[in-house]
Amino acid sequence: MEMILAICIGLALSATVGFRIFTPLFITGVFERVDWITVTEGFSWLGSTPALVAFGAATIFEIAVNYIPAVGSIMKVIATPIAAIAGILLTASFIGDMNPLLEWSIAIIGGGGIAAASHAAVTGVKGVSETALLSPAVAVVEDITATTVPIAIFLVPVLAIVFVVLIPVLIFTLYNKRKRRKKNRNPVERF
């Protein structure tokens, strides 16, 4: 059960990377630095001073840039590969004590995949929000989510399981709802 929880924590943190890439890394580093969490051997550098300074500066830059709509959208597109790498790091930092092939497969496919998918979804929302002039409101929601979810997961680790299970179910439900709505439209309304 402990291994499943560790995997879920890594995957849930990877999903939060979609909202802000560096905020979950910074929060993980801070929690590791003050010994509130323990990361897998070889990842304690996340709590080192140079890493915290780099993640902190990157977090501030990322937040600032996202309040400038056009620049924020461009950064979201450019940042997708970086989000995947951050997701891989976060997942790998929590799963250890298993076959390295399995560990890195979960980290790369699961963590990187979830981070890239959540980042792509947020990028799509950001694009729509700019046309509706809602970009600052969406940026605030991104900031709150990227900050509160990792903290909540570290304080109540079981929330990671809920987050990993709930988010895909929510996305699937919304996708099917949208699909049914398009299907049920009057053909005249489509043109």
Side-chain angles (χ1 to χ4, degrees):
M1 181 64 177
E2 193 174 307
M3 183 56 65
I4 292 171
L5 184 59
I7 291 169
C8 286
I9 289 171
L11 294 176
L13 290 172
S14 296
T16 64
V17 166
F19 297 97
R20 292 282 181 256
I21 296 170
F22 297 103
T23 303
L25 285 166
F26 179 71
I27 291 169
T28 301
V30 168
F31 271 68
E32 200 284 326
R33 177 70 171 250
V34 297
D35 289 329
W36 287 355
I37 61 167
T38 303
V39 293
T40 303
E41 187 177 327
F43 284 94
S44 60
W45 62 268
L46 289 170
S48 69
T49 301
L52 289 175
V53 169
F55 294 150
T59 296
I60 291 168
F61 175 75
E62 185 178 27
I63 289 170
V65 117
N66 276 291
Y67 287 94
I68 305 168
V71 177
S73 289
I74 292 168
M75 290 301 294
K76 288 282 186 204
V77 172
I78 294 171
T80 300
I82 298 168
I85 292 169
I88 292 166
L89 280 174
L90 283 168
T91 301
S93 70
F94 284 92
I95 56 175
D97 298 334
M98 66 171 48
N99 180 321
L101 177 62
L102 182 59
E103 176 185 345
W104 285 103
S105 295
I106 292 169
I108 293 168
I109 296 167
I114 286 174
S118 68
H119 200 273
V122 170
T123 301
V125 169
K126 195 73 164 178
V128 171
S129 72
E130 284 181 10
T131 58
L133 301 174
L134 297 172
S135 191
V138 170
V140 168
V141 171
E142 287 176 305
D143 292 337
I144 291 169
T145 304
T147 304
T148 58
V149 172
I151 291 171
I153 288 169
F154 290 144
L155 296 178
V156 184
V158 175
L159 288 176
I161 296 171
V162 173
F163 192 74
V164 168
V165 171
L166 182 65
I167 295 302
V169 168
L170 180 65
I171 290 170
F172 181 74
T173 303
L174 291 173
Y175 173 76
N176 281 335
K177 192 176 200 179
R178 182 176 175 208
K179 192 174 174 182
R180 279 191 304 253
R181 193 175 24 199
K182 279 186 175 182
K183 186 178 179 182
N184 292 335
R185 280 189 191 164
N186 185 349
V188 176
E189 290 177 357
R190 291 185 190 164
F191 300 103

